[in-house]
Amino acid sequence: MDMDNQMDERSKIPDLMKIGQIPSDLSQDVDTEVLDPVVNNDNFCRFVLSNKGFLHSFSKITLGLTSTGDDDFSTLPVNIGIHSLVQRCALRIGTTIVAEIDDFNHWMAYKSMFIDNDINYERETYLTSRLTATELLYDNDGQSIINASALTLKTRLEPVQDDVGQDGATDPQVEIRLAEQPVFSISVADLFPFLRFNQLPLYMIDQQISIELHYQPTSSFKRCVHQSTVDAQGQSWLIDTTQTKFIADYIYYDGDLMEQYKNQNKVMNWTYADYRLNKRSFTQAQLLDKTIMDIGGAGRLCNRVITSLAPVLAAPDSSLTNEYSAIAPATSNNNNGTLTTNLVYNDNRLYPIDRTNPALHFHDLVQTEQNVPHISRQMFNKEGDSFTDQYLYMDYQISSSVEGLNGKFHHIGYRLNRNERVNSRGIQLEFKYSNMLAGTFTHRTWLELVKTATLDNGRFSTEFA
């Protein structure tokens, strides 16, 4: 067969790895397999995948919890749900770590902001226990219900009225209360974001493929949220190992197409994004001074940088978001504090003028993610007073900046726009807060780095681009 015929034959074979449209005359079968972990305890689990078909990117890992005490109303953090259990995740092929995310639960506090309200309300409540959908709170003043002056969490339960007829408190739905031992799921595409665009050809890999989850320690009390007035703080919730399963969907295509695809792609190369974490502790006094810190990335191709500042809480399970938040600058005398920030790489500043305006911070976040966060101004930067002090969820004030949602979603994004490799000095982050709550904080920075994967005759390898 001459070269032209070989190219013509190859062009007839679709790219089965890419998620998207396929020819209308191409049939597809899905085989579902429920896998038990080969290692399974309260700190760690590992799944070994079967080397067959293409791994569907939305295969699920199911997780559940059991209590060691009497805790009737406890739930998972409202903004990230079941993702609070996973501290670190890793995908291994052979001895190669293909993808990993450290502080995955905090990372999901960022990613969960971009879920549509309706999806949160209709779907995520039951799949992952995420319920930060908001709705208008209509005044119950004895008149027709036409006045809405505030936002509240959108659940399927009506608020319990207090003695003067005002809307008061709402408890979590029975279906998501941990005392009922619900089982929730985590998508593989959330654990390893590059799988959102690629389906791994497992049948073409001759090495062991495994997924590892490192759990958040139960002693940290960062797995759940207890009900403020009924349940005791500091309850221990353990992983229900009988519910830890991997529901793997393997995709097959008709006829000899998969064998032809394998023969035509003896050597495959593709690029994808992986994430590296930089984490440091700060006091209130340090945050009020200008900080210039190295965050890594030397010699790498970096697409974007995401940052968050989370408080270190003495009782993390006494807040609706636990510690999985990004704190906005504090307010004083009804004046909002500011964050002044910039990024320096390759001897140039990302922004000619340092960013201070919170509207620009929000704009930069939209540009970084190429998506709009589904949060209010008060949730992002403590502006607007969209939540009312009269409304409680699990007996926590939603409008509170300590136990509620006020200013808890202040993630900052930086999109590196020059398409350059970072030089040997790496990336420097500059920031300064004009006002901040008292306490100790953990500053996290995730760098999205470009990696290259090679599949050569069944052997898998990766390197930074």
PDB file of all heavy atoms in Angstrom, residues 83-95:
ATOM      1  N   HIS A  83     -16.751  16.125  48.082  1.00  0.00           N
ATOM      2  CA  HIS A  83     -15.349  16.371  47.736  1.00  0.00           C
ATOM      3  C   HIS A  83     -14.513  16.754  48.953  1.00  0.00           C
ATOM      4  O   HIS A  83     -13.280  16.726  48.891  1.00  0.00           O
ATOM      5  CB  HIS A  83     -15.253  17.467  46.674  1.00  0.00           C
ATOM      6  CG  HIS A  83     -16.011  17.148  45.412  1.00  0.00           C
ATOM      7  ND1 HIS A  83     -17.308  17.548  45.208  1.00  0.00           N
ATOM      8  CD2 HIS A  83     -15.657  16.433  44.315  1.00  0.00           C
ATOM      9  CE1 HIS A  83     -17.718  17.129  44.032  1.00  0.00           C
ATOM     10  NE2 HIS A  83     -16.751  16.446  43.468  1.00  0.00           N
ATOM     11  N   SER A  84     -15.170  17.094  50.066  1.00  0.00           N
ATOM     12  CA  SER A  84     -14.428  17.428  51.281  1.00  0.00           C
ATOM     13  C   SER A  84     -13.635  16.236  51.815  1.00  0.00           C
ATOM     14  O   SER A  84     -12.687  16.417  52.583  1.00  0.00           O
ATOM     15  CB  SER A  84     -15.386  17.924  52.368  1.00  0.00           C
ATOM     16  OG  SER A  84     -16.250  16.878  52.791  1.00  0.00           O
ATOM     17  N   LEU A  85     -13.998  15.027  51.425  1.00  0.00           N
ATOM     18  CA  LEU A  85     -13.319  13.840  51.951  1.00  0.00           C
ATOM     19  C   LEU A  85     -11.952  13.611  51.322  1.00  0.00           C
ATOM     20  O   LEU A  85     -11.104  12.933  51.900  1.00  0.00           O
ATOM     21  CB  LEU A  85     -14.177  12.589  51.721  1.00  0.00           C
ATOM     22  CG  LEU A  85     -15.594  12.592  52.306  1.00  0.00           C
ATOM     23  CD1 LEU A  85     -16.223  11.219  52.126  1.00  0.00           C
ATOM     24  CD2 LEU A  85     -15.583  12.988  53.766  1.00  0.00           C
ATOM     25  N   VAL A  86     -11.718  14.145  50.127  1.00  0.00           N
ATOM     26  CA  VAL A  86     -10.510  13.820  49.358  1.00  0.00           C
ATOM     27  C   VAL A  86      -9.495  14.943  49.494  1.00  0.00           C
ATOM     28  O   VAL A  86      -9.710  16.055  49.014  1.00  0.00           O
ATOM     29  CB  VAL A  86     -10.836  13.570  47.879  1.00  0.00           C
ATOM     30  CG1 VAL A  86      -9.572  13.190  47.105  1.00  0.00           C
ATOM     31  CG2 VAL A  86     -11.899  12.484  47.750  1.00  0.00           C
ATOM     32  N   GLN A  87      -8.375  14.635  50.133  1.00  0.00           N
ATOM     33  CA  GLN A  87      -7.306  15.619  50.299  1.00  0.00           C
ATOM     34  C   GLN A  87      -6.364  15.619  49.096  1.00  0.00           C
ATOM     35  O   GLN A  87      -5.875  16.673  48.685  1.00  0.00           O
ATOM     36  CB  GLN A  87      -6.519  15.323  51.577  1.00  0.00           C
ATOM     37  CG  GLN A  87      -5.479  16.373  51.929  1.00  0.00           C
ATOM     38  CD  GLN A  87      -4.746  16.017  53.210  1.00  0.00           C
ATOM     39  OE1 GLN A  87      -4.175  14.940  53.331  1.00  0.00           O
ATOM     40  NE2 GLN A  87      -4.783  16.924  54.185  1.00  0.00           N
ATOM     41  N   ARG A  88      -6.123  14.449  48.524  1.00  0.00           N
ATOM     42  CA  ARG A  88      -5.218  14.351  47.375  1.00  0.00           C
ATOM     43  C   ARG A  88      -5.678  13.197  46.488  1.00  0.00           C
ATOM     44  O   ARG A  88      -6.139  12.162  46.981  1.00  0.00           O
ATOM     45  CB  ARG A  88      -3.776  14.094  47.831  1.00  0.00           C
ATOM     46  CG  ARG A  88      -2.764  13.947  46.697  1.00  0.00           C
ATOM     47  CD  ARG A  88      -1.352  13.737  47.250  1.00  0.00           C
ATOM     48  NE  ARG A  88      -0.384  13.584  46.175  1.00  0.00           N
ATOM     49  CZ  ARG A  88      -0.041  12.417  45.633  1.00  0.00           C
ATOM     50  NH1 ARG A  88      -0.605  11.282  46.085  1.00  0.00           N
ATOM     51  NH2 ARG A  88       0.838  12.353  44.669  1.00  0.00           N
ATOM     52  N   CYS A  89      -5.576  13.385  45.192  1.00  0.00           N
ATOM     53  CA  CYS A  89      -5.914  12.322  44.238  1.00  0.00           C
ATOM     54  C   CYS A  89      -4.781  12.184  43.233  1.00  0.00           C
ATOM     55  O   CYS A  89      -4.078  13.145  42.929  1.00  0.00           O
ATOM     56  CB  CYS A  89      -7.226  12.629  43.523  1.00  0.00           C
ATOM     57  SG  CYS A  89      -7.249  14.195  42.628  1.00  0.00           S
ATOM     58  N   ALA A  90      -4.589  10.965  42.727  1.00  0.00           N
ATOM     59  CA  ALA A  90      -3.505  10.695  41.773  1.00  0.00           C
ATOM     60  C   ALA A  90      -3.931   9.594  40.819  1.00  0.00           C
ATOM     61  O   ALA A  90      -4.561   8.609  41.220  1.00  0.00           O
ATOM     62  CB  ALA A  90      -2.221  10.301  42.506  1.00  0.00           C
ATOM     63  N   LEU A  91      -3.585   9.776  39.555  1.00  0.00           N
ATOM     64  CA  LEU A  91      -3.776   8.760  38.521  1.00  0.00           C
ATOM     65  C   LEU A  91      -2.409   8.222  38.142  1.00  0.00           C
ATOM     66  O   LEU A  91      -1.530   8.980  37.707  1.00  0.00           O
ATOM     67  CB  LEU A  91      -4.464   9.362  37.296  1.00  0.00           C
ATOM     68  CG  LEU A  91      -4.573   8.474  36.056  1.00  0.00           C
ATOM     69  CD1 LEU A  91      -5.449   7.256  36.329  1.00  0.00           C
ATOM     70  CD2 LEU A  91      -5.117   9.261  34.861  1.00  0.00           C
ATOM     71  N   ARG A  92      -2.217   6.908  38.319  1.00  0.00           N
ATOM     72  CA  ARG A  92      -0.938   6.273  38.024  1.00  0.00           C
ATOM     73  C   ARG A  92      -1.096   5.270  36.878  1.00  0.00           C
ATOM     74  O   ARG A  92      -2.069   4.513  36.834  1.00  0.00           O
ATOM     75  CB  ARG A  92      -0.387   5.529  39.241  1.00  0.00           C
ATOM     76  CG  ARG A  92       0.045   6.410  40.393  1.00  0.00           C
ATOM     77  CD  ARG A  92       0.545   5.580  41.565  1.00  0.00           C
ATOM     78  NE  ARG A  92       0.950   6.379  42.696  1.00  0.00           N
ATOM     79  CZ  ARG A  92       2.193   6.821  42.897  1.00  0.00           C
ATOM     80  NH1 ARG A  92       3.148   6.507  42.021  1.00  0.00           N
ATOM     81  NH2 ARG A  92       2.488   7.539  43.956  1.00  0.00           N
ATOM     82  N   ILE A  93      -0.139   5.278  35.973  1.00  0.00           N
ATOM     83  CA  ILE A  93      -0.026   4.247  34.948  1.00  0.00           C
ATOM     84  C   ILE A  93       1.376   3.670  35.063  1.00  0.00           C
ATOM     85  O   ILE A  93       2.360   4.365  34.806  1.00  0.00           O
ATOM     86  CB  ILE A  93      -0.290   4.798  33.538  1.00  0.00           C
ATOM     87  CG1 ILE A  93      -1.715   5.360  33.443  1.00  0.00           C
ATOM     88  CG2 ILE A  93      -0.089   3.716  32.486  1.00  0.00           C
ATOM     89  CD1 ILE A  93      -2.078   5.919  32.090  1.00  0.00           C
ATOM     90  N   GLY A  94       1.454   2.397  35.479  1.00  0.00           N
ATOM     91  CA  GLY A  94       2.754   1.844  35.830  1.00  0.00           C
ATOM     92  C   GLY A  94       3.281   2.567  37.057  1.00  0.00           C
ATOM     93  O   GLY A  94       2.597   2.700  38.071  1.00  0.00           O
ATOM     94  N   THR A  95       4.505   3.075  36.956  1.00  0.00           N
ATOM     95  CA  THR A  95       5.090   3.858  38.047  1.00  0.00           C
ATOM     96  C   THR A  95       5.001   5.358  37.789  1.00  0.00           C
ATOM     97  O   THR A  95       5.510   6.156  38.580  1.00  0.00           O
ATOM     98  CB  THR A  95       6.569   3.469  38.241  1.00  0.00           C
ATOM     99  OG1 THR A  95       7.282   3.680  37.005  1.00  0.00           O
ATOM    100  CG2 THR A  95       6.689   2.002  38.648  1.00  0.00           C
TER     101      THR A  95
END
